[in-house]
Amino acid sequence: MVRKAKSGMESFEERLARLEELVTRLETGNLPLENAVDTFEEGMKLSQSLAATLQTAEKRVEVLLAGENGQVVAKPLEIETTDDEDDADEEQNR
């Protein structure tokens, strides 16, 4: 489902599709240097925006588990990351 955010910003899916377009353009190697730098800059901004959206979504995800007395309680989802993901996160934060 593709939807616009309340602020009128493009949806996650639209931003991801745009990032994929930019990557394809850069991979061709046919862009003049100035255009390639501008394209790369736009791609980096989109990448950061998408990462922030994913982090927000991750925080909202909850797993419902049965509590001690049979009541349903909400508990944050714990996501395990691989070493590669941790390394990528560290590089992005530099």
Side-chain angles (χ1 to χ4, degrees):
M1 176 169 105
V2 177
R3 62 183 172 95
K4 296 275 184 188
K6 291 179 184 176
S7 66
M9 189 170 72
E10 293 177 325
S11 72
F12 179 87
E13 292 80 5
E14 290 168 328
R15 289 180 287 146
L16 182 58
R18 176 64 180 155
L19 179 58
E20 290 171 346
E21 290 173 22
L22 296 174
V23 169
T24 299
R25 287 179 59 195
L26 287 168
E27 287 178 341
T28 65
N30 296 332
L31 292 175
L33 179 60
E34 186 64 31
N35 289 356
V37 171
D38 290 343
T39 300
F40 180 78
E41 182 179 12
E42 182 183 352
M44 289 302 298
K45 288 178 183 177
L46 278 169
S47 176
Q48 292 170 350
S49 170
L50 290 165
T53 300
L54 286 173
Q55 287 176 345
T56 300
E58 182 178 310
K59 290 177 185 175
R60 293 179 55 200
V61 173
E62 295 178 331
V63 177
L64 295 175
L65 301 172
E68 291 177 18
N69 50 357
Q71 293 179 336
V72 175
V73 294
K75 193 173 187 181
L77 176 64
E78 294 180 19
I79 299 177
E80 295 182 25
T81 59
T82 65
D83 289 339
D84 291 340
E85 290 171 333
D86 291 338
D87 292 344
D89 288 343
E90 289 175 14
E91 266 189 48
Q92 184 178 13
N93 292 330
R94 288 185 202 174

